[in-house]
Amino acid sequence: MDINFEPPPKVVSMEKRKRKPLLDRKAPFEHFLPRNLLLSTVHAVAVTAAPMLAAATPKYDEYDEDDDECPLLDWEKLNEEMKSFKVKVVKTFLRVISCTSVKRILESFAVHRLSLKTASRLVKDPAKSAIRKSFRFGKRRAAWAMLSTAAYSNILSYT
């Protein structure tokens, strides 16, 4: 009588599925791709134009309710603000690009000099992590976990 003994099937581990280390790390020069440069330009224009438009918008209290003519914009003030608009946009664009470059350099330093666990925490993308955590924990528990993730991942931005 030949007994064929097969080992029991592998039991699937009940451990938590962990994210691969450095999964969210971006390429060092990714922010110089044409699409990302365009997004940075739009960001610079929006950040520069918003305060100018806010300054040129008259306050509601300055005009009487009986007065039918209430201008939406103070064109003289907007024209005055627009004189230096191009220079401000270029400065803001250069600031965005340089801050992103410094952040990528710090990420590279963290990956090469720090432990894998610490570097992975510092390089993590908070938005992607929030999506993963909400699927894993549910929205309420994930909210608390996201606070520490956001704190770690923004350390390099504020150094």
Side-chain angles (χ1 to χ4, degrees), residues 61-117:
D61 297 339
E62 293 177 1
Y63 297 98
D64 295 331
E65 291 180 21
D66 299 333
D67 190 13
D68 293 336
E69 194 174 317
C70 180
L72 295 177
L73 287 175
D74 185 0
W75 292 103
E76 289 86 25
K77 196 169 189 178
L78 183 62
N79 190 22
E80 191 178 302
E81 293 280 337
M82 291 294 283
K83 288 180 182 176
S84 62
F85 181 71
K86 290 179 184 177
V87 175
K88 288 181 180 179
V89 167
V90 170
K91 285 182 181 179
T92 305
F93 176 75
L94 291 175
R95 187 178 303 125
V96 167
I97 293 296
S98 63
C99 287
T100 307
S101 298
V102 168
K103 185 175 179 183
R104 297 288 183 266
I105 290 169
L106 290 173
E107 286 175 357
S108 177
F109 176 79
V111 168
H112 287 72
R113 301 288 183 187
L114 302 175
S115 69
L116 184 63
K117 183 179 179 181

Side-chain angles (χ1 to χ4, degrees), residues 44-54 85 89:
V45 169
V47 165
T48 307
M52 289 182 180
L53 290 173
F85 181 71
V89 167

Side-chain angles (χ1 to χ4, degrees), residues 10 22 29 51 60 77 91 95 97 122 127-128 132 143 145:
K10 290 185 179 181
L22 304 176
F29 299 107
Y60 183 72
K77 196 169 189 178
K91 285 182 181 179
R95 187 178 303 125
I97 293 296
L122 294 174
K128 291 179 183 176
R132 289 190 297 260

Side-chain angles (χ1 to χ4, degrees), residues 11-69:
V11 177
V12 177
S13 173
M14 295 304 287
E15 292 180 28
K16 295 179 185 175
R17 290 188 317 200
K18 292 190 176 183
R19 179 182 68 89
K20 293 179 183 176
L22 304 176
L23 178 70
D24 296 339
R25 185 175 180 209
K26 295 179 182 167
F29 299 107
E30 183 182 18
H31 58 288
F32 290 118
L33 294 175
R35 178 181 180 269
N36 293 337
L37 284 174
L38 178 68
L39 291 174
S40 295
T41 305
V42 170
H43 177 252
V45 169
V47 165
T48 307
M52 289 182 180
L53 290 173
T57 305
K59 295 182 176 137
Y60 183 72
D61 297 339
E62 293 177 1
Y63 297 98
D64 295 331
E65 291 180 21
D66 299 333
D67 190 13
D68 293 336
E69 194 174 317

